[in-house]
Amino acid sequence: MKKITIFLFLIFIAFLWAEKKEWCGTQEALRVFRMGEKIPRPPDGPKYVYSTHFIIHFDTIGTNATTRAYAESLSKYMEYSWAKQIDTLGWASPPPDGAGPDDRYDVYIRDLGLYVMGRTVGEYLYTNPYPDGATSYMEIAPGLSFRDLRVVSSHEFNHASQLRYSYLEDDWWQENCATWMEDVCYDNENQYMDYLSWSIDPLDSPHKPITCDEDLYEYAGCLWPMFLAECYAISCPRRAWERMGQVSGENTLSGINDALGNFASNLTNALKEYGLWRYFTGTRADPTHYFSESNLWPPSSVLRNHNSYPATGDQGNRYPSGPGGTNYIQFSAGGTNYLRMVFDGEDNYLWSGYAIGYKTPPSDTYGFVLPYPWNRGIKTVSFSGHSHIALAVTVTQWQGSANNLTFTYKCSLRTVVYNWDVGVAEILSPPNRVKKDSLFSPKIRVENYGLNSASFPVWFIIVRPPAETIYKETASVNNLPPDGWQEISFPQVSIPIIGFYAISAHTALSGDENSGNDELAKNLEIYSPITGWEKVADVPFSPDGKAVKSGGGLAVIDDTTIFVLKGNNKPSLYRFNPLTNGIAFIGNLRYGGEDLKIKKGGFILAGGDYIYIVPGGNKSLFYRAPKTNPLSLTSLSQIPGVALKGGTGMVYCEKNGRGCIYLLKGSKTKDFYLYDVMDNTWEVKQSAPAYSSPDKGYQIGSAITFDGNQTIYCLRAKYNELHKYDITSDAWVSGFSSILPFTHPTVGRKRYVKEGGAIVFANNKLYAFKGGNSNEFWVYDIGANNWSPAPFLPSGSENKGVKGGGFLVYQNGYIFALKGNNTTGLWRYSGGTGDEFLAKNFSSEEFGGTSQPILSEIGVPFLEVKVYNPLGRLVAEKEEALKNLPAGVYLVEVGKGKNRKVKKVFLISR
């Protein structure tokens, strides 16, 4: 037992020493400097070692005690670093600091604590010639081995040179370069390899981005500047620093991108190559063509190995992130066959990659083209002559965030690859079910499986059984390359008759050697929808474990995309496809390295090429991002006046050829603003009107909508007032007045518009939620200036009404809604009011008489009774069952044939 205890103690001591060797204290010192504060410089001396460029300050007694021999060795190593980095490689020399005995660079031997070997401390701004340059001094720990002393001197001296360029660049890049410089100065030491034994590094966690700074990854990330030096030129990292220094502010990634232009490349291409280079390490090393010391390293981690086919998969728990996150997938046991790989990366991000035919160096590499924004690519590689085939795919997005992306792949064996072979890979549209009379565009994807580029016609056919062709269109594909694919859209069509149809797509390449893939078919159902509400999706709880609440919202992008903002103090953004009812997490909204926590007053709006976000939460922040890259946020001019706390609404419109946004602030104010998209400026407009309690502003629940022409409609919470604003005259319409009824005819209880209130323009009408945990849904006839109740939004399994996070948008004949109130449902409304549905199903004369208070007053004996709800669903057939119905609007049918009588009634609780 005693021996075991001693052994564990020694392991613990070794671990502490390893920890001490791992740390550079420069970043902590720089954080203090960036905040405008200074770490006090140590006192001079009391003993010195002078050299051409340095003064070493040391003492032989006390807590910082060392020997003169140690100080002289440090002086020698510092001069060597100067000669190597400045005189030979051309890096900028540290600026004179005007402190110490003279302008030579001051290095202090000081005890820096258990885990710190050295640090470079920024002291004063030095803007000649770089605007964000800084002076510095250095502190080195006593008692290091001479190996460590050599390494730390080259490392910290590179930091001193970096500060001449800019003290604002990213920490990960600073440590990348300083650690790489250790190997440049002392090639045989290879201390950087210690970092490749950690749990997170560029080889065992290749899916991490180059910007990663978890668990000392930034030191292991020295492989990135090492790659830049070996792939392009040893001057490449220095030229990146020069470019960063020339432009004020933080320019780390853009500086690297600009520097690569000197080598006929860019950051996107470099990230792709970096993903390839990291595959050839360890047992797969090829030092001649890739990293020169890669045979000394461990092999990079492989996501998955396949040896049976067909093979499919995804990213598993190794979600790649940009810039530079890479996944490797290996395939073996293919015999003499061909491997056909189809990769599909998450849309709207930049991806690229390689297919690798591995063999005795050099291996064969094939570019894997992944066209933006769909990121779907195909590559066919022969197993012959290769020990295995690998797929290396990299997230090359570096502008904007690209965190934790997803992908899928599927691979199959082919015994032969024909010279001429094309086919239909997938029917993309229509889906299996389409509403009758609705327009849809047939769409297919064709692929070239052969070895030659091909041009050919394609057909799309719809047949009504048994043999009536109701649609037949053709298109042409020109010069589709091998392993290429193309999506083809055909003219729109609508089908008026419900039922099942057969659809098929065909290719007709002259000389096609494989006819088995020339045709693809599926069934199509044309259906007639029921008017009313339907829950079509649930916003996932993942990844934050929350439902939709205050700040939740919807933004219509196009026919296939509605962005969903969860709110609830979370940055989560989702994409909903109304054609498939599929919903998926996109990512977290982030700016400046921090999540946007969307709270009360938060809002999302689509307009032009962008989406616009206000996070609310008592802040005035305002952001936008491209629709094609919604996580790439840019900060815009802040909203003037008091901060946003709730009742906020925004609409987008075009005025005089310029995009603009009108904003109702809410937050208990009457503030109304115009934002000019081109100028990034806010303009105060006429305050929103208030008839009741004119001294009160607009509270949470207030909302606005735009008719797409010239009128903005505004619903004022608590007072239920509807107002109009004319964007042509830029004024509220004087004298207009309408009140959303406080009491619903079937509820009998006065309700105000409260939190969750929402309004949307659709089909020349307005539709509104009252919110406040009610399910009331109202429609406003603009021409008649009249409000009518519409079918209630169902309470659902949560048994909740609309509250914080309630939202309405209109798209392609449907209204989509969030209930909010800590629920997950995404709802769709098709059709008009309950009255409109009943009118479509029963003739007008059957609605004689007036509505009655209770069913027993219909005035006809209960011979045979059927009761329908406003959606036309049968809810009761016997008199006793009628007594158990809840209050509401019903259609009652009594009798048969000539004696049949139908009336609409309001059932009110007794």
Side-chain angles (χ1 to χ4, degrees), residues 381-567:
V381 178
S382 174
F383 272 105
S384 295
H386 300 133
S387 62
H388 67 266
I389 295 171
L391 180 59
V393 288
T394 300
V395 181
T396 52
Q397 178 111 4
W398 61 272
Q399 292 177 303
S401 60
N403 298 321
N404 300 321
L405 304 191
T406 61
F407 64 80
T408 60
Y409 63 88
K410 55 183 178 181
C411 305
S412 58
L413 290 183
R414 298 173 68 88
T415 58
V416 62
V417 176
Y418 298 99
N419 288 312
W420 303 98
D421 181 14
V422 301
V424 182
E426 188 175 359
I427 296 176
L428 300 170
S429 176
N432 293 330
R433 299 180 75 240
V434 174
K435 184 175 69 172
K436 81 180 193 68
D437 293 321
S438 64
L439 283 172
F440 62 88
S441 296
K443 188 176 184 180
I444 66 173
R445 184 172 61 246
V446 297
E447 294 179 4
N448 186 352
Y449 306 97
L451 298 175
N452 296 307
S453 295
S455 299
F456 52 94
V458 293
W459 282 272
F460 195 93
I461 301 172
I462 302 177
V463 175
R464 182 183 181 190
E468 180 187 357
T469 299
I470 64 170
Y471 180 92
K472 184 175 183 180
E473 294 288 344
T474 185
S476 296
V477 177
N478 298 310
N479 295 317
L480 187 63
D483 282 328
W485 60 275
Q486 183 175 328
E487 292 183 356
I488 303 164
S489 295
F490 296 88
Q492 287 186 320
V493 61
S494 64
I495 301 178
I497 301 175
I498 63 172
F500 287 91
Y501 295 76
I503 59 178
S504 60
H506 309 258
T507 61
L509 171 65
S510 177
D512 195 312
E513 301 170 61
N514 178 24
S515 60
N517 51 27
D518 292 351
E519 179 181 352
L520 195 62
K522 62 185 272 189
N523 290 327
L524 168 66
E525 179 188 0
I526 301 298
Y527 70 98
S528 178
I530 295 175
T531 303
W533 287 104
E534 176 186 12
K535 188 166 80 167
V536 292
D538 279 292
V539 181
F541 278 107
S542 62
D544 52 37
K546 297 289 187 178
V548 179
K549 211 171 179 181
S550 299
L554 303 169
V556 176
I557 305 302
D558 53 34
D559 290 349
T560 63
T561 300
I562 297 176
F563 287 147
V564 184
L565 196 61
K566 181 177 281 186

Side-chain angles (χ1 to χ4, degrees), residues 9-27:
F9 175 75
L10 291 175
I11 289 177
F12 177 69
I13 293 298
F15 174 75
L16 288 180
W17 178 243
E19 283 283 319
K20 178 176 181 179
K21 290 169 59 178
E22 303 304 338
W23 282 97
C24 162
T26 298
Q27 300 312 320

Side-chain angles (χ1 to χ4, degrees), residues 533 554 701-703 715-717 720 740 752-760 766-779 787 790-794 801-803 805-809 815-820 825 827-829:
W533 287 104
L554 303 169
S702 301
L715 183 63
R716 185 187 179 202
N720 292 25
L740 171 60
Y752 305 92
V753 176
K754 293 184 178 181
E755 184 177 12
I759 190 169
V760 66
L766 301 179
Y767 294 83
F769 282 151
K770 278 188 178 177
N773 201 31
S774 80
N775 295 83
E776 291 186 28
F777 185 53
W778 291 78
V779 59
W787 289 95
F792 289 89
L793 179 67
V802 180
K803 205 174 180 182
F807 210 91
L808 293 167
V809 293
I815 293 172
F816 290 90
L818 291 175
K819 182 183 293 186
W827 297 80
R828 180 176 65 196
Y829 178 77

Side-chain angles (χ1 to χ4, degrees), residues 855-874:
L855 291 174
S856 60
E857 297 179 7
I858 293 177
V860 179
F862 287 116
L863 302 175
E864 182 172 336
V865 178
K866 290 185 178 181
V867 182
Y868 302 86
N869 69 10
L871 302 183
R873 297 190 180 100
L874 183 68

Side-chain angles (χ1 to χ4, degrees), residues 710-770:
Q710 68 180 60
T711 305
I712 295 172
Y713 293 89
C714 174
L715 183 63
R716 185 187 179 202
K718 186 177 180 179
Y719 304 98
N720 292 25
E721 296 173 0
L722 182 69
H723 301 284
K724 292 197 303 184
Y725 186 89
D726 189 301
I727 69 170
T728 303
S729 61
D730 251 350
W732 295 96
V733 177
S734 177
F736 173 79
S737 176
S738 180
I739 301 295
L740 171 60
F742 290 98
T743 303
H744 194 286
T746 64
V747 175
R749 175 186 172 186
K750 196 171 186 179
R751 284 190 180 274
Y752 305 92
V753 176
K754 293 184 178 181
E755 184 177 12
I759 190 169
V760 66
F761 176 87
N763 300 320
N764 294 313
K765 296 181 180 180
L766 301 179
Y767 294 83
F769 282 151
K770 278 188 178 177

